[in-house]
Amino acid sequence: MDYKVFEPVPTKVFGKDKKPTFEDSSCSLYRFTTIPNQDSQLGKENKLYSPSRYSDALFKSSDIKSASLEDLWENLSLEPTNSPPVNISATLSPQVINEVWQEETIGRLLQLVDLPLLDSLLKQQEFVSKAPQPKRQPDLVNSSNYLDRGILKAYSDSQEDEWLSAATDCLEYLPDQMVVDISRNFPEQPDRIDLVKELLFDAIGKYYSSREPLLNHLSDVHNGIAELLVNGKTEIALEATQLFLKLLDSQNREEFRRLLYFMAVAAHPSEFKLQKESDNRMVVKRIFSKAIVDNKNLSKGKTDLLVLFLMDHQKDVFKVKF
């Protein structure tokens, strides 16, 4: 408008002509007016240009501009610029990185699960950052347990059985004395795999029925995930479970992963029959439920629903996407 390229269409507002100022609105009209000709440098008078002629004048004003525009268009790239990688681990301590991931995890979890209070989340964050659980140390007094564990592992590998492999992985978290008892009570006929599985299942079930639940933290989250399952929001419940398990320390997280994998394999109907008159799935759920969740504020129905959900999705609950 300053260079008289276009001008506002005369309109009257309250009986007066509208001020000739540019307004970026849908109720303002403008029209092209006289503009300097391409050869105005030679002293020719201005001519009236139509919009199409004015457009041509803009793109043909000089060969240099046209060539520059073509070069720019040909070299235009929408790919992101390659920036040098930043090694975050070299600039931040592991503790700081861990705290950032915890904050991101908690923030996303709060978007998925309706929690009445944040105290449990804040206490859990403080506990994980300040008092991580040490890795279980073997009993150095009785060195025979190393031999017993090695023998059981070698037997499992020789059978190439998924059930036995999953059970043997769980033995790492059992007390040494229980492992020694398993070895001493091992069937005299190694080909009786059914007797070996019965022995292992009884020992693992006995241990986890008497220990503290692996998910005995963030009880409010238990209720939130169970409520999502009741309402049929499986995908949201899965993501919330992934974030929930991300808050576990590495020791408990790995132990729970192995136990859940063993539960899923043992619960399969085509596997070794755990009890003659009961379904494998129900037997596993009944024996290991309290080893996973023991929440007094969670009904038995919701507890069973949560445990079965974890078993059915054991391959996905440990995957986290950000």
Side-chain angles (χ1 to χ4, degrees):
M1 289 181 63
D2 293 338
Y3 289 95
K4 307 301 181 183
V5 175
F6 58 87
E7 62 183 3
V9 176
T11 56
K12 291 184 178 294
V13 180
F14 299 109
K16 297 181 180 180
D17 291 335
K18 189 176 180 180
K19 293 183 179 180
T21 56
F22 177 75
E23 296 180 0
D24 187 9
S25 65
S26 59
C27 58
S28 299
L29 301 177
Y30 301 90
R31 64 186 177 190
F32 287 97
T33 182
T34 57
I35 63 173
N37 191 8
Q38 182 178 352
D39 299 327
S40 59
Q41 300 178 20
L42 303 177
K44 292 188 177 181
E45 295 181 356
N46 295 343
K47 296 181 180 180
L48 184 63
Y49 275 71
S50 65
S52 61
R53 293 183 62 191
Y54 177 66
S55 177
D56 293 339
L58 287 177
F59 287 98
K60 296 179 181 179
S61 59
S62 69
D63 294 338
I64 297 178
K65 290 184 178 180
S66 178
S68 300
L69 183 60
E70 291 178 358
D71 293 340
L72 178 63
W73 183 258
E74 291 178 357
N75 297 326
L76 181 63
S77 175
L78 299 180
E79 296 294 330
T81 305
N82 292 329
S83 57
V86 179
N87 189 358
I88 299 179
S89 60
T91 58
L92 299 177
S93 65
Q95 181 180 358
V96 173
I97 295 177
N98 185 41
E99 291 177 357
V100 171
W101 276 113
Q102 288 181 22
E103 292 177 0
E104 291 293 326
T105 302
I106 292 175
R108 178 56 182 163
L109 187 60
L110 290 174
Q111 296 176 356
L112 300 176
V113 181
D114 185 17
L115 299 178
L117 296 174
L118 301 181
D119 292 343
S120 58
L121 283 174
L122 297 176
K123 290 180 180 179
Q124 170 66 16
Q125 184 179 13
E126 182 179 359
F127 171 78
V128 172
S129 60
K130 292 186 177 180
Q133 294 185 359
K135 186 176 181 180
R136 185 184 66 85
Q137 297 294 331
D139 183 9
L140 299 179
V141 177
N142 188 0
S143 60
S144 65
N145 66 80
Y146 293 105
L147 180 60
D148 293 325
R149 293 180 185 274
I151 292 176
L152 294 175
K153 184 67 169 63
Y155 172 80
S156 174
D157 294 341
S158 66
Q159 299 298 321
E160 296 183 355
D161 187 288
E162 185 180 15
W163 198 105
L164 291 175
S165 177
T168 305
D169 287 341
C170 291
L171 294 183
E172 180 179 340
Y173 296 94
L174 266 64
D176 294 328
Q177 185 58 49
M178 294 191 69
V179 176
V180 172
D181 292 340
I182 294 173
S183 178
R184 291 176 179 177
N185 295 315
F186 205 79
E188 296 180 358
Q189 304 86 5
D191 57 330
R192 292 293 305 273
I193 300 181
D194 57 334
L195 297 179
V196 176
K197 289 184 177 181
E198 181 179 0
L199 178 64
L200 291 174
F201 185 83
D202 290 344
I204 296 173
K206 180 180 179 180
Y207 169 71
Y208 280 102
S209 62
S210 61
R211 65 150 290 165
E212 183 181 356
L214 291 169
L215 305 185
N216 199 27
H217 66 296
L218 304 180
S219 58
D220 292 336
V221 180
H222 302 163
N223 298 327
I225 296 176
E227 194 65 28
L228 290 172
L229 294 174
V230 170
N231 295 327
K233 300 179 180 180
T234 306
E235 293 185 2
I236 301 178
L238 177 59
E239 183 180 356
T241 303
Q242 292 170 339
L243 298 171
F244 170 64
L245 295 180
K246 180 68 176 176
L247 295 175
L248 284 174
D249 65 90
S250 58
Q251 173 79 2
N252 283 346
R253 181 182 172 87
E254 176 60 20
E255 181 179 0
F256 180 60
R257 185 195 67 80
R258 296 189 185 191
L259 176 62
L260 196 60
Y261 174 55
F262 171 68
M263 291 171 57
V265 174
H268 200 276
S270 63
E271 284 291 348
F272 166 69
K273 188 71 174 176
L274 300 174
Q275 293 181 6
K276 294 181 179 180
E277 299 180 356
S278 300
D279 180 69
N280 282 352
R281 181 178 170 88
M282 294 298 103
V283 174
V284 171
K285 184 262 299 179
R286 183 177 67 254
I287 293 179
F288 292 100
S289 284
K290 288 188 177 181
I292 297 176
V293 177
D294 189 14
N295 188 345
K296 297 181 180 179
N297 296 325
L298 199 63
S299 65
K300 184 180 183 303
K302 289 185 177 181
T303 300
D304 293 344
L305 182 63
L306 179 59
V307 172
L308 293 176
F309 171 76
L310 290 169
M311 288 171 51
D312 294 339
H313 296 82
Q314 58 91 16
K315 293 183 179 179
D316 300 319
V317 293
F318 294 97
K319 300 176 182 178
V320 180
K321 297 179 180 179
F322 281 102

